[in-house]
Amino acid sequence: MKPNVLIAGLLAGAALMGQTLAARADAANLVVVELFTSQGCSSCPPADALLNKLAQRSDVLPLALHVDYWDYIGWADSFARPEHTTRQKAYAHVAGSRTIYTPQMVIGGDDQIVGARPMDVADAVMKHLHEGPGVAITLEPLDGGMRVVATPTQARLGSMLVQLVRFVPIQTVSIERGENAGKTVTYSNVVTNWEVVGEWGGGAPLDLEIPVPGDDAAAVVLQKVGNGRIVAASRLR
């Protein structure tokens, strides 16, 4: 298939996905979509464009995690972090796979999809929206930080990691070498840091204050231990 035809089809699918999800725009569950991507990956720009579409939604938290294992082919990704590669490998281990690839999207922590398949992504997002969150979560801005309040809405959730995610909402890069040489690509919600700030048993309500230094956007992701299902997520507004 010719590249321009492929991209047109992907963006048309993304538009249809936006229409499909419109009825769920008021959903309480913020569905996390992790895109493992690279500036040096020739098949990634359509998935990056799809993530840009998702970033326009209010019920989805799309996050771009740039990996470093394509840097050797002529262009070092300026956003790549080895910990993103480690996170992707952990998801592969959970799925029983020995290989990782780009572009890949992980929806809600447990649906692993080729990143350039918009209708598959739409189906997975809809599934998580209909399931609803296992936890009601709110974030309250504080001076230099935030307060995280979470209450379980389902029984026997088990232990969860409380994770603080920092990201830059929009970045545009002119790629000079490698497989995407000559392209200018816009990336949404580029992750700059993903750290565990606590662990929660999921029984009694959680009330936690955490520092949030700097200017990058911030979100909190509650995820079952061992790169399991993402139970809830919220973005600091």
Side-chain angles (χ1 to χ4, degrees):
M1 183 178 292
K2 294 181 179 179
N4 60 334
V5 175
L6 175 60
I7 293 172
L10 286 169
L11 294 180
L16 178 59
M17 177 167 59
Q19 297 170 8
T20 302
L21 296 180
R24 299 290 300 184
D26 60 347
N29 185 19
L30 200 60
V31 178
V32 178
V33 177
E34 299 172 61
L35 170 63
F36 294 95
T37 185
S38 173
Q39 295 170 12
C41 160
S42 62
S43 57
C44 284
D48 299 321
L50 178 55
L51 200 80
N52 293 344
K53 291 287 186 179
L54 288 170
Q56 300 172 22
R57 301 207 50 80
S58 61
D59 49 6
V60 177
L61 177 61
L63 298 168
L65 291 94
H66 287 243
V67 298
D68 61 353
Y69 50 84
W70 293 124
D71 286 1
Y72 75 95
I73 59 176
W75 178 256
D77 190 316
S78 55
F79 307 138
R81 291 175 175 262
E83 53 266 38
H84 296 167
T85 301
T86 300
R87 183 171 177 85
Q88 189 182 23
K89 287 180 177 179
Y91 276 130
H93 178 74
V94 170
S97 175
R98 296 184 178 180
T99 60
I100 55 176
Y101 62 91
T102 55
Q104 182 191 35
M105 286 189 180
V106 179
I107 318 294
D110 61 7
D111 287 305
Q112 301 186 25
I113 297 169
V114 174
R117 294 180 179 173
M119 296 315 300
D120 289 347
V121 173
D123 289 344
V125 170
M126 284 298 295
K127 183 191 79 170
H128 285 276
L129 286 173
H130 283 298
E131 287 176 351
V135 169
I137 181 173
T138 58
L139 306 183
E140 176 187 344
L142 302 175
D143 186 20
M146 73 168 81
R147 179 186 180 197
V148 183
V149 178
T151 305
T153 59
Q154 298 175 7
R156 298 183 297 275
L157 287 171
S159 294
M160 287 166 276
L161 298 179
V162 183
Q163 300 168 110
L164 174 64
V165 184
R166 309 301 302 275
F167 57 96
V168 178
I170 195 80
Q171 292 272 36
T172 299
V173 177
S174 296
I175 301 171
E176 299 174 3
R177 296 182 301 278
E179 293 185 351
N180 290 319
K183 292 182 179 179
T184 299
V185 184
T186 297
Y187 300 96
S188 293
N189 294 358
V190 177
V191 173
T192 56
N193 192 48
W194 192 308
E195 64 176 312
V196 176
V197 295
E199 187 168 340
W200 178 42
L206 172 71
D207 194 331
L208 178 67
E209 292 186 8
I210 56 177
V212 186
D215 298 325
D216 289 357
V220 170
V221 174
L222 303 181
Q223 185 170 19
K224 298 196 73 171
V225 172
N227 280 79
R229 181 170 67 93
I230 291 176
V231 180
S234 184
R235 177 177 178 172
L236 186 64
R237 300 296 180 182

PDB file of all heavy atoms in Angstrom, residues 87-125:
ATOM      1  N   ARG A  87      10.061  -0.511  30.162  1.00  0.00           N
ATOM      2  CA  ARG A  87       8.621  -0.652  30.407  1.00  0.00           C
ATOM      3  C   ARG A  87       7.970  -1.485  29.302  1.00  0.00           C
ATOM      4  O   ARG A  87       7.137  -2.354  29.574  1.00  0.00           O
ATOM      5  CB  ARG A  87       7.961   0.723  30.501  1.00  0.00           C
ATOM      6  CG  ARG A  87       6.467   0.673  30.832  1.00  0.00           C
ATOM      7  CD  ARG A  87       5.916   2.062  31.119  1.00  0.00           C
ATOM      8  NE  ARG A  87       4.478   2.038  31.367  1.00  0.00           N
ATOM      9  CZ  ARG A  87       3.914   1.777  32.544  1.00  0.00           C
ATOM     10  NH1 ARG A  87       4.670   1.515  33.595  1.00  0.00           N
ATOM     11  NH2 ARG A  87       2.595   1.772  32.685  1.00  0.00           N
ATOM     12  N   GLN A  88       8.354  -1.248  28.066  1.00  0.00           N
ATOM     13  CA  GLN A  88       7.796  -2.021  26.968  1.00  0.00           C
ATOM     14  C   GLN A  88       8.182  -3.492  27.083  1.00  0.00           C
ATOM     15  O   GLN A  88       7.366  -4.393  26.828  1.00  0.00           O
ATOM     16  CB  GLN A  88       8.230  -1.457  25.626  1.00  0.00           C
ATOM     17  CG  GLN A  88       7.495  -2.102  24.458  1.00  0.00           C
ATOM     18  CD  GLN A  88       7.949  -1.588  23.109  1.00  0.00           C
ATOM     19  OE1 GLN A  88       9.056  -1.074  22.969  1.00  0.00           O
ATOM     20  NE2 GLN A  88       7.100  -1.721  22.104  1.00  0.00           N
ATOM     21  N   LYS A  89       9.424  -3.757  27.486  1.00  0.00           N
ATOM     22  CA  LYS A  89       9.859  -5.140  27.676  1.00  0.00           C
ATOM     23  C   LYS A  89       9.054  -5.819  28.780  1.00  0.00           C
ATOM     24  O   LYS A  89       8.738  -7.019  28.691  1.00  0.00           O
ATOM     25  CB  LYS A  89      11.346  -5.179  28.006  1.00  0.00           C
ATOM     26  CG  LYS A  89      12.255  -4.888  26.820  1.00  0.00           C
ATOM     27  CD  LYS A  89      13.726  -4.944  27.228  1.00  0.00           C
ATOM     28  CE  LYS A  89      14.643  -4.716  26.035  1.00  0.00           C
ATOM     29  NZ  LYS A  89      16.085  -4.736  26.442  1.00  0.00           N
ATOM     30  N   ALA A  90       8.717  -5.072  29.821  1.00  0.00           N
ATOM     31  CA  ALA A  90       7.915  -5.641  30.906  1.00  0.00           C
ATOM     32  C   ALA A  90       6.529  -6.029  30.409  1.00  0.00           C
ATOM     33  O   ALA A  90       5.998  -7.093  30.780  1.00  0.00           O
ATOM     34  CB  ALA A  90       7.813  -4.648  32.062  1.00  0.00           C
ATOM     35  N   TYR A  91       5.923  -5.194  29.561  1.00  0.00           N
ATOM     36  CA  TYR A  91       4.626  -5.542  28.965  1.00  0.00           C
ATOM     37  C   TYR A  91       4.762  -6.792  28.097  1.00  0.00           C
ATOM     38  O   TYR A  91       3.879  -7.663  28.101  1.00  0.00           O
ATOM     39  CB  TYR A  91       4.097  -4.388  28.124  1.00  0.00           C
ATOM     40  CG  TYR A  91       3.362  -3.319  28.897  1.00  0.00           C
ATOM     41  CD1 TYR A  91       3.670  -1.969  28.755  1.00  0.00           C
ATOM     42  CD2 TYR A  91       2.319  -3.649  29.762  1.00  0.00           C
ATOM     43  CE1 TYR A  91       2.993  -0.983  29.442  1.00  0.00           C
ATOM     44  CE2 TYR A  91       1.627  -2.667  30.460  1.00  0.00           C
ATOM     45  CZ  TYR A  91       1.967  -1.328  30.298  1.00  0.00           C
ATOM     46  OH  TYR A  91       1.281  -0.362  30.988  1.00  0.00           O
ATOM     47  N   ALA A  92       5.833  -6.883  27.324  1.00  0.00           N
ATOM     48  CA  ALA A  92       6.051  -8.055  26.476  1.00  0.00           C
ATOM     49  C   ALA A  92       6.174  -9.312  27.335  1.00  0.00           C
ATOM     50  O   ALA A  92       5.638 -10.378  26.985  1.00  0.00           O
ATOM     51  CB  ALA A  92       7.298  -7.868  25.617  1.00  0.00           C
ATOM     52  N   HIS A  93       6.851  -9.203  28.461  1.00  0.00           N
ATOM     53  CA  HIS A  93       7.008 -10.348  29.363  1.00  0.00           C
ATOM     54  C   HIS A  93       5.648 -10.804  29.885  1.00  0.00           C
ATOM     55  O   HIS A  93       5.361 -12.012  29.933  1.00  0.00           O
ATOM     56  CB  HIS A  93       7.932  -9.969  30.517  1.00  0.00           C
ATOM     57  CG  HIS A  93       8.109 -11.071  31.528  1.00  0.00           C
ATOM     58  ND1 HIS A  93       8.879 -12.190  31.285  1.00  0.00           N
ATOM     59  CD2 HIS A  93       7.592 -11.224  32.786  1.00  0.00           C
ATOM     60  CE1 HIS A  93       8.833 -12.987  32.346  1.00  0.00           C
ATOM     61  NE2 HIS A  93       8.073 -12.423  33.261  1.00  0.00           N
ATOM     62  N   VAL A  94       4.810  -9.846  30.263  1.00  0.00           N
ATOM     63  CA  VAL A  94       3.464 -10.181  30.747  1.00  0.00           C
ATOM     64  C   VAL A  94       2.676 -10.916  29.666  1.00  0.00           C
ATOM     65  O   VAL A  94       1.917 -11.858  29.950  1.00  0.00           O
ATOM     66  CB  VAL A  94       2.715  -8.907  31.191  1.00  0.00           C
ATOM     67  CG1 VAL A  94       1.245  -9.212  31.463  1.00  0.00           C
ATOM     68  CG2 VAL A  94       3.370  -8.314  32.431  1.00  0.00           C
ATOM     69  N   ALA A  95       2.865 -10.512  28.397  1.00  0.00           N
ATOM     70  CA  ALA A  95       2.135 -11.117  27.282  1.00  0.00           C
ATOM     71  C   ALA A  95       2.770 -12.416  26.806  1.00  0.00           C
ATOM     72  O   ALA A  95       2.249 -13.068  25.890  1.00  0.00           O
ATOM     73  CB  ALA A  95       2.055 -10.137  26.122  1.00  0.00           C
ATOM     74  N   GLY A  96       3.900 -12.799  27.393  1.00  0.00           N
ATOM     75  CA  GLY A  96       4.581 -14.029  26.984  1.00  0.00           C
ATOM     76  C   GLY A  96       5.353 -13.887  25.691  1.00  0.00           C
ATOM     77  O   GLY A  96       5.601 -14.882  25.000  1.00  0.00           O
ATOM     78  N   SER A  97       5.756 -12.656  25.353  1.00  0.00           N
ATOM     79  CA  SER A  97       6.496 -12.410  24.113  1.00  0.00           C
ATOM     80  C   SER A  97       7.942 -12.072  24.424  1.00  0.00           C
ATOM     81  O   SER A  97       8.244 -11.421  25.432  1.00  0.00           O
ATOM     82  CB  SER A  97       5.857 -11.267  23.337  1.00  0.00           C
ATOM     83  OG  SER A  97       6.616 -10.927  22.205  1.00  0.00           O
ATOM     84  N   ARG A  98       8.840 -12.480  23.531  1.00  0.00           N
ATOM     85  CA  ARG A  98      10.260 -12.162  23.691  1.00  0.00           C
ATOM     86  C   ARG A  98      10.685 -10.991  22.822  1.00  0.00           C
ATOM     87  O   ARG A  98      11.860 -10.621  22.830  1.00  0.00           O
ATOM     88  CB  ARG A  98      11.102 -13.391  23.353  1.00  0.00           C
ATOM     89  CG  ARG A  98      10.890 -14.569  24.299  1.00  0.00           C
ATOM     90  CD  ARG A  98      11.826 -15.712  23.951  1.00  0.00           C
ATOM     91  NE  ARG A  98      11.670 -16.848  24.868  1.00  0.00           N
ATOM     92  CZ  ARG A  98      12.373 -17.970  24.790  1.00  0.00           C
ATOM     93  NH1 ARG A  98      13.276 -18.122  23.819  1.00  0.00           N
ATOM     94  NH2 ARG A  98      12.175 -18.938  25.662  1.00  0.00           N
ATOM     95  N   THR A  99       9.776 -10.438  22.049  1.00  0.00           N
ATOM     96  CA  THR A  99      10.134  -9.369  21.130  1.00  0.00           C
ATOM     97  C   THR A  99       9.340  -8.102  21.428  1.00  0.00           C
ATOM     98  O   THR A  99       8.221  -8.153  21.948  1.00  0.00           O
ATOM     99  CB  THR A  99       9.873  -9.779  19.671  1.00  0.00           C
ATOM    100  OG1 THR A  99       8.477 -10.080  19.499  1.00  0.00           O
ATOM    101  CG2 THR A  99      10.692 -11.007  19.302  1.00  0.00           C
ATOM    102  N   ILE A 100       9.928  -6.966  21.095  1.00  0.00           N
ATOM    103  CA  ILE A 100       9.249  -5.680  21.176  1.00  0.00           C
ATOM    104  C   ILE A 100       9.375  -4.988  19.826  1.00  0.00           C
ATOM    105  O   ILE A 100      10.252  -5.316  19.025  1.00  0.00           O
ATOM    106  CB  ILE A 100       9.813  -4.794  22.300  1.00  0.00           C
ATOM    107  CG1 ILE A 100      11.321  -4.603  22.150  1.00  0.00           C
ATOM    108  CG2 ILE A 100       9.469  -5.380  23.661  1.00  0.00           C
ATOM    109  CD1 ILE A 100      11.925  -3.670  23.179  1.00  0.00           C
ATOM    110  N   TYR A 101       8.504  -4.044  19.556  1.00  0.00           N
ATOM    111  CA  TYR A 101       8.473  -3.403  18.245  1.00  0.00           C
ATOM    112  C   TYR A 101       7.845  -2.022  18.374  1.00  0.00           C
ATOM    113  O   TYR A 101       7.207  -1.688  19.392  1.00  0.00           O
ATOM    114  CB  TYR A 101       7.655  -4.247  17.257  1.00  0.00           C
ATOM    115  CG  TYR A 101       6.205  -4.399  17.666  1.00  0.00           C
ATOM    116  CD1 TYR A 101       5.235  -3.493  17.233  1.00  0.00           C
ATOM    117  CD2 TYR A 101       5.787  -5.438  18.509  1.00  0.00           C
ATOM    118  CE1 TYR A 101       3.912  -3.602  17.620  1.00  0.00           C
ATOM    119  CE2 TYR A 101       4.477  -5.564  18.903  1.00  0.00           C
ATOM    120  CZ  TYR A 101       3.532  -4.646  18.455  1.00  0.00           C
ATOM    121  OH  TYR A 101       2.210  -4.766  18.863  1.00  0.00           O
ATOM    122  N   THR A 102       8.028  -1.223  17.340  1.00  0.00           N
ATOM    123  CA  THR A 102       7.334   0.054  17.224  1.00  0.00           C
ATOM    124  C   THR A 102       6.658   0.112  15.858  1.00  0.00           C
ATOM    125  O   THR A 102       7.168  -0.472  14.887  1.00  0.00           O
ATOM    126  CB  THR A 102       8.314   1.238  17.341  1.00  0.00           C
ATOM    127  OG1 THR A 102       9.363   1.096  16.383  1.00  0.00           O
ATOM    128  CG2 THR A 102       8.893   1.329  18.740  1.00  0.00           C
ATOM    129  N   PRO A 103       5.512   0.792  15.764  1.00  0.00           N
ATOM    130  CA  PRO A 103       4.782   1.402  16.878  1.00  0.00           C
ATOM    131  C   PRO A 103       3.890   0.371  17.574  1.00  0.00           C
ATOM    132  O   PRO A 103       3.300  -0.483  16.915  1.00  0.00           O
ATOM    133  CB  PRO A 103       3.927   2.462  16.185  1.00  0.00           C
ATOM    134  CG  PRO A 103       3.642   1.864  14.826  1.00  0.00           C
ATOM    135  CD  PRO A 103       4.876   1.096  14.459  1.00  0.00           C
ATOM    136  N   GLN A 104       3.803   0.455  18.875  1.00  0.00           N
ATOM    137  CA  GLN A 104       2.906  -0.400  19.645  1.00  0.00           C
ATOM    138  C   GLN A 104       2.117   0.469  20.614  1.00  0.00           C
ATOM    139  O   GLN A 104       2.678   1.372  21.241  1.00  0.00           O
ATOM    140  CB  GLN A 104       3.669  -1.454  20.437  1.00  0.00           C
ATOM    141  CG  GLN A 104       2.741  -2.396  21.219  1.00  0.00           C
ATOM    142  CD  GLN A 104       3.478  -3.283  22.212  1.00  0.00           C
ATOM    143  OE1 GLN A 104       4.456  -2.863  22.818  1.00  0.00           O
ATOM    144  NE2 GLN A 104       3.005  -4.500  22.374  1.00  0.00           N
ATOM    145  N   MET A 105       0.829   0.197  20.724  1.00  0.00           N
ATOM    146  CA  MET A 105       0.001   0.853  21.728  1.00  0.00           C
ATOM    147  C   MET A 105      -0.438  -0.180  22.764  1.00  0.00           C
ATOM    148  O   MET A 105      -0.787  -1.307  22.419  1.00  0.00           O
ATOM    149  CB  MET A 105      -1.228   1.513  21.097  1.00  0.00           C
ATOM    150  CG  MET A 105      -0.924   2.787  20.323  1.00  0.00           C
ATOM    151  SD  MET A 105      -2.413   3.670  19.822  1.00  0.00           S
ATOM    152  CE  MET A 105      -1.697   5.078  18.960  1.00  0.00           C
ATOM    153  N   VAL A 106      -0.395   0.249  24.025  1.00  0.00           N
ATOM    154  CA  VAL A 106      -0.918  -0.559  25.124  1.00  0.00           C
ATOM    155  C   VAL A 106      -2.073   0.229  25.731  1.00  0.00           C
ATOM    156  O   VAL A 106      -1.893   1.364  26.186  1.00  0.00           O
ATOM    157  CB  VAL A 106       0.162  -0.859  26.175  1.00  0.00           C
ATOM    158  CG1 VAL A 106      -0.427  -1.683  27.317  1.00  0.00           C
ATOM    159  CG2 VAL A 106       1.339  -1.598  25.538  1.00  0.00           C
ATOM    160  N   ILE A 107      -3.258  -0.359  25.701  1.00  0.00           N
ATOM    161  CA  ILE A 107      -4.478   0.314  26.153  1.00  0.00           C
ATOM    162  C   ILE A 107      -4.854  -0.202  27.536  1.00  0.00           C
ATOM    163  O   ILE A 107      -5.033  -1.407  27.736  1.00  0.00           O
ATOM    164  CB  ILE A 107      -5.656   0.064  25.191  1.00  0.00           C
ATOM    165  CG1 ILE A 107      -5.219   0.144  23.721  1.00  0.00           C
ATOM    166  CG2 ILE A 107      -6.817   1.005  25.502  1.00  0.00           C
ATOM    167  CD1 ILE A 107      -4.777   1.485  23.271  1.00  0.00           C
ATOM    168  N   GLY A 108      -4.962   0.727  28.476  1.00  0.00           N
ATOM    169  CA  GLY A 108      -5.401   0.341  29.810  1.00  0.00           C
ATOM    170  C   GLY A 108      -4.479  -0.632  30.509  1.00  0.00           C
ATOM    171  O   GLY A 108      -4.877  -1.300  31.466  1.00  0.00           O
ATOM    172  N   GLY A 109      -3.242  -0.753  30.034  1.00  0.00           N
ATOM    173  CA  GLY A 109      -2.276  -1.633  30.655  1.00  0.00           C
ATOM    174  C   GLY A 109      -2.349  -3.081  30.230  1.00  0.00           C
ATOM    175  O   GLY A 109      -1.436  -3.851  30.534  1.00  0.00           O
ATOM    176  N   ASP A 110      -3.410  -3.476  29.500  1.00  0.00           N
ATOM    177  CA  ASP A 110      -3.525  -4.912  29.192  1.00  0.00           C
ATOM    178  C   ASP A 110      -3.906  -5.261  27.762  1.00  0.00           C
ATOM    179  O   ASP A 110      -3.891  -6.443  27.414  1.00  0.00           O
ATOM    180  CB  ASP A 110      -4.481  -5.598  30.180  1.00  0.00           C
ATOM    181  CG  ASP A 110      -5.895  -5.049  30.150  1.00  0.00           C
ATOM    182  OD1 ASP A 110      -6.192  -4.213  29.276  1.00  0.00           O
ATOM    183  OD2 ASP A 110      -6.703  -5.454  30.997  1.00  0.00           O
ATOM    184  N   ASP A 111      -4.235  -4.315  26.907  1.00  0.00           N
ATOM    185  CA  ASP A 111      -4.510  -4.606  25.500  1.00  0.00           C
ATOM    186  C   ASP A 111      -3.336  -4.103  24.673  1.00  0.00           C
ATOM    187  O   ASP A 111      -3.095  -2.892  24.610  1.00  0.00           O
ATOM    188  CB  ASP A 111      -5.805  -3.942  25.034  1.00  0.00           C
ATOM    189  CG  ASP A 111      -7.030  -4.624  25.593  1.00  0.00           C
ATOM    190  OD1 ASP A 111      -7.162  -5.851  25.408  1.00  0.00           O
ATOM    191  OD2 ASP A 111      -7.852  -3.945  26.228  1.00  0.00           O
ATOM    192  N   GLN A 112      -2.599  -5.007  24.036  1.00  0.00           N
ATOM    193  CA  GLN A 112      -1.415  -4.653  23.265  1.00  0.00           C
ATOM    194  C   GLN A 112      -1.745  -4.753  21.776  1.00  0.00           C
ATOM    195  O   GLN A 112      -2.135  -5.807  21.288  1.00  0.00           O
ATOM    196  CB  GLN A 112      -0.251  -5.571  23.643  1.00  0.00           C
ATOM    197  CG  GLN A 112       0.087  -5.493  25.132  1.00  0.00           C
ATOM    198  CD  GLN A 112       1.320  -6.286  25.519  1.00  0.00           C
ATOM    199  OE1 GLN A 112       2.193  -6.537  24.692  1.00  0.00           O
ATOM    200  NE2 GLN A 112       1.412  -6.656  26.784  1.00  0.00           N
ATOM    201  N   ILE A 113      -1.572  -3.624  21.084  1.00  0.00           N
ATOM    202  CA  ILE A 113      -2.058  -3.489  19.711  1.00  0.00           C
ATOM    203  C   ILE A 113      -0.987  -2.836  18.853  1.00  0.00           C
ATOM    204  O   ILE A 113      -0.271  -1.937  19.308  1.00  0.00           O
ATOM    205  CB  ILE A 113      -3.337  -2.616  19.694  1.00  0.00           C
ATOM    206  CG1 ILE A 113      -4.458  -3.298  20.485  1.00  0.00           C
ATOM    207  CG2 ILE A 113      -3.797  -2.327  18.266  1.00  0.00           C
ATOM    208  CD1 ILE A 113      -5.648  -2.399  20.731  1.00  0.00           C
ATOM    209  N   VAL A 114      -0.878  -3.267  17.593  1.00  0.00           N
ATOM    210  CA  VAL A 114      -0.029  -2.549  16.642  1.00  0.00           C
ATOM    211  C   VAL A 114      -0.537  -1.110  16.562  1.00  0.00           C
ATOM    212  O   VAL A 114      -1.727  -0.863  16.353  1.00  0.00           O
ATOM    213  CB  VAL A 114      -0.071  -3.216  15.258  1.00  0.00           C
ATOM    214  CG1 VAL A 114       0.704  -2.386  14.246  1.00  0.00           C
ATOM    215  CG2 VAL A 114       0.496  -4.630  15.337  1.00  0.00           C
ATOM    216  N   GLY A 115       0.364  -0.148  16.730  1.00  0.00           N
ATOM    217  CA  GLY A 115      -0.040   1.229  16.936  1.00  0.00           C
ATOM    218  C   GLY A 115      -0.710   1.914  15.775  1.00  0.00           C
ATOM    219  O   GLY A 115      -1.319   2.966  15.938  1.00  0.00           O
ATOM    220  N   ALA A 116      -0.612   1.372  14.577  1.00  0.00           N
ATOM    221  CA  ALA A 116      -1.180   2.016  13.400  1.00  0.00           C
ATOM    222  C   ALA A 116      -2.464   1.330  12.940  1.00  0.00           C
ATOM    223  O   ALA A 116      -2.744   1.265  11.747  1.00  0.00           O
ATOM    224  CB  ALA A 116      -0.162   2.049  12.269  1.00  0.00           C
ATOM    225  N   ARG A 117      -3.247   0.810  13.879  1.00  0.00           N
ATOM    226  CA  ARG A 117      -4.528   0.179  13.565  1.00  0.00           C
ATOM    227  C   ARG A 117      -5.629   0.899  14.330  1.00  0.00           C
ATOM    228  O   ARG A 117      -6.024   0.484  15.426  1.00  0.00           O
ATOM    229  CB  ARG A 117      -4.498  -1.303  13.922  1.00  0.00           C
ATOM    230  CG  ARG A 117      -3.519  -2.108  13.062  1.00  0.00           C
ATOM    231  CD  ARG A 117      -3.519  -3.578  13.431  1.00  0.00           C
ATOM    232  NE  ARG A 117      -2.612  -4.339  12.589  1.00  0.00           N
ATOM    233  CZ  ARG A 117      -2.322  -5.628  12.780  1.00  0.00           C
ATOM    234  NH1 ARG A 117      -2.875  -6.281  13.797  1.00  0.00           N
ATOM    235  NH2 ARG A 117      -1.479  -6.242  11.969  1.00  0.00           N
ATOM    236  N   PRO A 118      -6.137   2.008  13.779  1.00  0.00           N
ATOM    237  CA  PRO A 118      -7.040   2.884  14.537  1.00  0.00           C
ATOM    238  C   PRO A 118      -8.315   2.210  15.000  1.00  0.00           C
ATOM    239  O   PRO A 118      -8.796   2.502  16.101  1.00  0.00           O
ATOM    240  CB  PRO A 118      -7.335   4.032  13.568  1.00  0.00           C
ATOM    241  CG  PRO A 118      -6.979   3.510  12.220  1.00  0.00           C
ATOM    242  CD  PRO A 118      -5.870   2.542  12.430  1.00  0.00           C
ATOM    243  N   MET A 119      -8.881   1.308  14.210  1.00  0.00           N
ATOM    244  CA  MET A 119     -10.142   0.694  14.634  1.00  0.00           C
ATOM    245  C   MET A 119      -9.906  -0.299  15.762  1.00  0.00           C
ATOM    246  O   MET A 119     -10.741  -0.437  16.667  1.00  0.00           O
ATOM    247  CB  MET A 119     -10.843   0.033  13.446  1.00  0.00           C
ATOM    248  CG  MET A 119     -11.268   1.022  12.372  1.00  0.00           C
ATOM    249  SD  MET A 119     -12.081   2.524  13.018  1.00  0.00           S
ATOM    250  CE  MET A 119     -13.497   1.833  13.859  1.00  0.00           C
ATOM    251  N   ASP A 120      -8.762  -0.996  15.747  1.00  0.00           N
ATOM    252  CA  ASP A 120      -8.426  -1.873  16.870  1.00  0.00           C
ATOM    253  C   ASP A 120      -8.233  -1.048  18.138  1.00  0.00           C
ATOM    254  O   ASP A 120      -8.659  -1.444  19.226  1.00  0.00           O
ATOM    255  CB  ASP A 120      -7.152  -2.661  16.570  1.00  0.00           C
ATOM    256  CG  ASP A 120      -7.350  -3.728  15.505  1.00  0.00           C
ATOM    257  OD1 ASP A 120      -8.520  -4.030  15.174  1.00  0.00           O
ATOM    258  OD2 ASP A 120      -6.338  -4.254  14.988  1.00  0.00           O
ATOM    259  N   VAL A 121      -7.590   0.103  17.989  1.00  0.00           N
ATOM    260  CA  VAL A 121      -7.403   0.997  19.131  1.00  0.00           C
ATOM    261  C   VAL A 121      -8.756   1.492  19.638  1.00  0.00           C
ATOM    262  O   VAL A 121      -9.024   1.508  20.840  1.00  0.00           O
ATOM    263  CB  VAL A 121      -6.493   2.179  18.746  1.00  0.00           C
ATOM    264  CG1 VAL A 121      -6.427   3.204  19.877  1.00  0.00           C
ATOM    265  CG2 VAL A 121      -5.087   1.686  18.401  1.00  0.00           C
ATOM    266  N   ALA A 122      -9.630   1.879  18.714  1.00  0.00           N
ATOM    267  CA  ALA A 122     -10.961   2.358  19.097  1.00  0.00           C
ATOM    268  C   ALA A 122     -11.740   1.291  19.853  1.00  0.00           C
ATOM    269  O   ALA A 122     -12.373   1.573  20.879  1.00  0.00           O
ATOM    270  CB  ALA A 122     -11.745   2.789  17.858  1.00  0.00           C
ATOM    271  N   ASP A 123     -11.682   0.050  19.377  1.00  0.00           N
ATOM    272  CA  ASP A 123     -12.396  -1.040  20.056  1.00  0.00           C
ATOM    273  C   ASP A 123     -11.868  -1.235  21.471  1.00  0.00           C
ATOM    274  O   ASP A 123     -12.651  -1.429  22.420  1.00  0.00           O
ATOM    275  CB  ASP A 123     -12.250  -2.345  19.263  1.00  0.00           C
ATOM    276  CG  ASP A 123     -13.046  -2.347  17.968  1.00  0.00           C
ATOM    277  OD1 ASP A 123     -13.944  -1.495  17.819  1.00  0.00           O
ATOM    278  OD2 ASP A 123     -12.751  -3.190  17.093  1.00  0.00           O
ATOM    279  N   ALA A 124     -10.546  -1.173  21.635  1.00  0.00           N
ATOM    280  CA  ALA A 124      -9.958  -1.380  22.959  1.00  0.00           C
ATOM    281  C   ALA A 124     -10.317  -0.227  23.902  1.00  0.00           C
ATOM    282  O   ALA A 124     -10.645  -0.450  25.073  1.00  0.00           O
ATOM    283  CB  ALA A 124      -8.445  -1.524  22.841  1.00  0.00           C
ATOM    284  N   VAL A 125     -10.272   0.999  23.396  1.00  0.00           N
ATOM    285  CA  VAL A 125     -10.636   2.145  24.221  1.00  0.00           C
ATOM    286  C   VAL A 125     -12.096   2.051  24.645  1.00  0.00           C
ATOM    287  O   VAL A 125     -12.446   2.273  25.818  1.00  0.00           O
ATOM    288  CB  VAL A 125     -10.367   3.461  23.474  1.00  0.00           C
ATOM    289  CG1 VAL A 125     -10.974   4.644  24.224  1.00  0.00           C
ATOM    290  CG2 VAL A 125      -8.869   3.682  23.298  1.00  0.00           C
TER     291      VAL A 125
END
